[in-house]
Amino acid sequence: MRTPTMREVAALAGVSIKTVSRFVNGDETVSPAIAERVRAAIDETGYRRNDLARSLRPGQRSTTLALLVGDLTNPFYGSIANGVMGVARAHGHNVVLASSDEDPEAERRGIDDLLGQRVAGLLIVPGAMDYGYLGREVAQGTPVVFVDRPALGLDADTVLLDNHGGARKATEHLIAAGHRRIGVVVAASHYTTGRRLDGYLDAMRAAFGEADEALVARLEHGTREEAEQAAAQLLALPPERRPTALFTTTNFLTHGALRAMGPGQDTALVGFDDFPFADLLPTPVTVVSGDAGEMGREATRLLLARIAGQSGPPRRVQLGTVLIPRGSGEQKP
């Protein structure tokens, strides 16, 4: 599909190109009635102001890729970004980085802004539920690759970790050390951590026939503070019900659990996702880790292939995980 033009918007709205230009540039002198006609024509055609085109020579194409992540303070996303930038720069592309702070509305605005710059392609760690609105952009030639989580409403290339298998591996590691009462701290509303909860539950059911729901701490937002409170509540249970081990499903949740456990705590711990200095703590933290940098590199390779004209059905790439035993997950009950 061709990219819609301002001329087409003007023709559909029954106004001049100059009026459309005034509207898209925020001129408040455009009457409300005319503005509504222009807005409806823009929605119908899928026109998007091409801010970047003003700085490009005729026929020149943007070489900028865009990466939108959920939280720039999370080292996991930083590793994804490093992987993206390494491959992009090696192929002559710049990268613009944006964050949604895990807010679907902020994510939508950020994507609209990036598309307004006519980036060559989008890499998205999705936080919203439905990405059907990007179908027109993809049809018009802007490829999209999703990273870390799949997206609903849009069939596109996706790069994931084996979240279920990694979580099962972590739980089985604690079971092999002799633990039966294993608590889990999880933000189950997220796709990745939901799959990790499934892996934990499957391992517990395979070993013991059932999982004790009293040891499953489901968090609403997945913050360190929530995790600290939830872990403290689990550790405050009566001795016969208290978990002898904890599995935390993100690095932020591991931080919270460590605060709750405090120094000298004899509860075993395995976290999902590595984090800086995990190996330098008084009791180094055992983790299940996926290569976030490779996720970024693989996603960028897929995006560049689409930009170069590769066709075919969307690909779904799943990367494996490794268990890194450091001491915290090997403690006996």
Side-chain angles (χ1 to χ4, degrees):
M1 292 177 61
R2 268 186 321 104
T3 300
T5 66
M6 190 178 291
R7 183 181 301 277
E8 291 167 337
V9 174
L12 185 60
V15 299
S16 68
I17 294 176
K18 183 176 180 180
T19 298
V20 176
S21 177
R22 288 166 53 207
F23 172 81
V24 298
N25 284 287
D27 189 334
E28 295 181 357
T29 65
V30 179
S31 73
I34 295 295
E36 183 57 34
R37 282 161 53 190
V38 174
R39 185 179 295 109
I42 287 173
D43 289 343
E44 184 172 337
T45 60
Y47 171 80
R48 194 177 297 277
R49 188 178 71 172
N50 191 343
D51 296 327
L52 185 62
R54 301 177 182 181
S55 64
L56 298 176
R57 297 187 300 274
Q60 186 180 6
R61 182 183 178 90
S62 167
T63 60
T64 300
L65 310 181
L67 169 63
L68 189 141
V69 301
D71 183 356
L72 286 173
T73 67
N74 191 327
F76 182 81
Y77 294 139
S79 296
I80 289 176
N82 284 335
V84 168
M85 289 187 286
V87 173
R89 289 170 179 167
H91 289 80
H93 290 266
N94 296 317
V95 178
V96 58
L97 182 62
S99 172
S100 68
D101 292 324
E102 301 288 3
D103 180 344
E105 291 185 7
E107 179 190 85
R108 178 68 181 264
R109 292 194 299 271
I111 289 174
D112 284 344
D113 288 343
L114 294 168
L115 291 171
Q117 299 176 46
R118 291 297 176 195
V119 293
L122 281 172
L123 297 149
I124 302 173
V125 177
M129 292 299 293
D130 191 342
Y131 291 83
Y133 69 92
L134 287 175
R136 188 194 299 267
E137 298 293 339
V138 173
Q140 291 171 357
T142 304
V144 177
V145 176
F146 293 103
V147 190
D148 187 43
R149 306 166 187 163
L152 298 177
L154 184 67
D155 204 8
D157 294 332
T158 305
V159 181
L160 308 169
L161 286 179
D162 181 8
N163 294 290
H164 181 279
R168 183 159 187 160
K169 189 182 304 182
T171 309
E172 289 173 343
H173 183 72
L174 291 168
I175 292 170
H179 296 278
R180 181 182 180 89
R181 297 191 306 278
I182 302 171
V184 60
V185 181
V186 57
S189 59
H190 296 282
Y191 167 83
T192 50
T193 50
R195 292 293 293 149
R196 293 170 189 180
L197 175 59
D198 290 342
Y200 158 86
L201 292 172
D202 285 349
M204 294 296 287
R205 289 164 182 158
F208 308 120
E210 61 180 0
D212 185 351
E213 279 292 325
L215 300 183
V216 179
R218 292 178 170 86
L219 311 183
E220 183 177 359
H221 302 294
T223 64
R224 293 184 182 92
E225 293 73 21
E226 278 185 305
E228 180 178 2
Q229 182 179 12
Q233 290 172 349
L234 288 174
L235 297 175
L237 290 171
E240 67 277 8
R241 298 176 54 209
R242 183 184 309 143
T244 61
L246 292 177
F247 169 48
T248 49
T249 58
T250 73
N251 48 17
F252 279 6
L253 304 189
T254 305
H255 295 167
L258 286 169
R259 290 176 181 174
M261 291 166 65
Q265 175 62 248
D266 60 357
T267 305
L269 172 68
V270 178
F272 203 119
D273 295 335
D274 207 355
F275 57 93
F277 310 117
D279 57 338
L280 300 179
L281 294 172
T283 301
V285 179
T286 296
V287 297
V288 168
S289 180
D291 191 337
E294 180 57 23
M295 289 180 70
R297 289 188 288 273
E298 179 62 21
T300 309
R301 288 190 284 263
L302 291 174
L303 187 68
L304 293 177
R306 296 297 186 185
I307 291 171
Q310 185 183 83
S311 59
R315 293 187 58 196
R316 188 182 181 102
V317 178
Q318 180 171 279
L319 304 180
T321 61
V322 296
L323 179 81
I324 306 174
R326 294 186 176 130
S328 69
E330 291 67 52
Q331 300 181 44
K332 302 297 180 181

